[in-house]
Amino acid sequence: MSKKGNLLLSLILAVSMILTACGSNNGGGNTPSTPTETSNSNTEGEGKTEAEQTNLTLWTFVQQHADFYLYMADEWNQANPDKPIKLVTENIPYDEMHTRLLIALQTKEGAPDLVDIEQSKFPNFMKGEVQLVELNDVVEPELSNIVKSRVDIYSQDGKYYGVDLHVGATVMFYNKEIMDQAGVNPDDIKLWSDVEKYGKIVVEKTGKPFITFEGAGNWSWWPAINQLESDQVSVDGKVMLDDERNIRAMTFFKKLVDEGIAAIAPGAGHDTPEYKAYMNAEGAASVFMPFWFMNRFTDEMPDLKGKIIIKPMPAWDEGGNRSAGMGGTGLSITNQTKHLELAKEFLAYSKLSKEGNIQVWKQLGMDPIRTEVWTDPAMSEPNKFTEYFGNDIFDTLLEVKDEIYPVNIREISPQVFDSVRNEIIPRIFQFGEDPETVIKEEADKLRKSLP
């Protein structure tokens, strides 16, 4: 790397380390358990020496994703002994990884072959000369088989640059033991107004809050307004934070907090070590998060095994949507790869094939984007997720699959999401300010500052 590039990278990394030390929320729902680099390699391909394997590097910010790709690399090598790969994954903290990637692409040095880019950060990589590889030749043949919106969010001008792991259907996770202690049946909670009604009973009977909200994250407010078919950025890329539906949802959530029915998540986010320790100790009766949060339960909240059940979200009104498609990470290929065709083949195998999508469920407990596998017998086979949550997990997804409204990811999304995480949510939930006032103020600020 040039001297100029090294200096720039050093400055950015210093800023990134400060941000991480300050506990900045990743917004992707995926906080690595350790800031240290992890690096693993898969087994050698049959009939090939290690020297004959093709090295592919992959950056991610979620250890579970790294483990999935390594598993798929092993599967690839068994299925393709004539072109084995040696996959080296690196798990890098969220902010640092996206910053390092930007610098590597700008300086044209040091980028990996493949990289996981979180949904809300993706617009940053679509500015100017795009330095990710177009994937239309592997994506377009599969469009009729997958949930198209999960690749549309990683596209620009008709070109696809990333493929998601999952649909991200948001569901309720209930602690059945706490609910039973309170004598409340989760199936009776059909509307958000029922949360207030039955939440009071849970608090009275158990002394524990019914539900939790993020105190500096977007995983509570965003899915709730998506249920109302609203968003924080409009279809045409404008700020719409102060839409009346958004204010309605936040005002209701603030009321639940003021009444003690809801608590602010320890650590200010649901994907923090503090929160997972709190929930593992049965701190609250429920939380709503996307499907991908299942592996946080299995891997990081072991004491809740057999106690958590999955149900649709409550709707805001009769007949309203009971889920929201939230979160996502697009696997992309950088234009610095020296093994483009092999990288594409591995990406398609891992993220678009039937085999890969079944493993997305088996390895990660996520709702795969390839719809044909949702009813495949493999999805009902026992695994660590059925052992933890029961055998009817996919029944919930099938029940709400037509109640998921699309989200808008546009060029201004990173700035809007930063405002939500760092200003709106903390001011309302941590400092108790009036929701409507805060939301309107921050929306006005963004409109004045954004082009």
Side-chain angles (χ1 to χ4, degrees), residues 72-88:
M72 292 308 298
D74 278 335
E75 294 290 298
W76 167 270
N77 285 344
Q78 291 177 30
N80 301 276
D82 57 326
K83 42 186 174 182
I85 63 174
K86 180 180 180 181
L87 185 69
V88 179

Side-chain angles (χ1 to χ4, degrees), residues 138-324:
V138 294
V139 170
E140 287 180 341
E142 301 293 349
L143 286 177
S144 62
N145 298 317
I146 63 176
V147 178
K148 185 171 177 290
S149 63
R150 302 313 288 183
V151 289
D152 285 346
I153 54 180
Y154 307 109
S155 68
Q156 180 169 276
D157 300 329
K159 297 178 180 178
Y160 297 101
Y161 294 101
V163 179
D164 213 326
L165 266 174
H166 59 82
V167 177
T170 304
V171 294
M172 291 289 293
F173 296 93
Y174 289 103
N175 183 317
K176 192 169 185 307
E177 280 197 355
I178 297 178
M179 298 296 285
D180 287 345
Q181 288 171 20
V184 173
N185 182 351
D187 289 330
D188 291 335
I189 301 171
K190 301 184 183 303
L191 300 174
W192 276 107
S193 56
D194 293 327
V195 169
E196 185 174 26
K197 174 183 175 182
Y198 291 107
K200 288 179 180 175
I201 296 174
V202 170
V203 173
E204 289 172 2
K205 298 289 187 183
T206 69
K208 296 177 180 178
F210 174 81
I211 199 167
T212 59
F213 298 137
E214 293 204 314
N218 210 359
W219 297 123
S220 300
W221 192 34
W222 196 18
I225 64 175
N226 178 265
Q227 285 186 280
L228 291 164
E229 302 188 357
S230 182
D231 210 324
Q232 294 163 347
V233 176
S234 66
V235 173
D236 59 353
K238 306 295 183 185
V239 175
M240 62 176 295
L241 287 167
D242 48 358
D243 184 280
E244 63 178 14
R245 293 165 291 184
N246 302 352
I247 293 173
R248 173 192 174 190
M250 181 57 83
T251 300
F252 180 74
F253 282 2
K254 175 67 162 46
K255 183 172 182 240
L256 293 180
V257 172
D258 292 343
E259 292 174 342
I261 294 169
I264 305 306
H270 289 150
D271 204 7
T272 63
E274 296 92 335
Y275 181 73
K276 284 173 270 197
Y278 165 82
M279 288 299 280
N280 195 47
E282 306 199 44
S286 70
V287 61
F288 61 100
M289 284 291 284
F291 240 64
W292 51 254
F293 203 65
M294 288 174 60
N295 63 42
R296 308 309 200 267
F297 277 104
T298 57
D299 296 357
E300 300 176 67
M301 293 174 263
D303 294 344
L304 298 182
K305 183 178 181 179
K307 299 179 181 179
I308 301 296
I309 59 173
I310 297 174
K311 297 288 181 180
M313 293 175 70
W316 285 100
D317 303 294
E318 293 283 353
N321 294 329
R322 295 175 298 160
S323 186

Side-chain angles (χ1 to χ4, degrees), residues 54-68:
T54 300
N55 288 341
L56 291 177
T57 55
L58 186 153
W59 288 359
T60 183
F61 55 95
V62 184
Q63 185 56 48
Q64 288 94 340
H65 292 191
D67 295 340
F68 167 75

Side-chain angles (χ1 to χ4, degrees), residues 237-238 411-412 415 446-451:
K238 306 295 183 185
E411 185 173 345
I412 67 168
Q415 293 94 324
L446 283 167
R447 290 191 181 101
K448 291 175 182 174
S449 64
L450 292 171

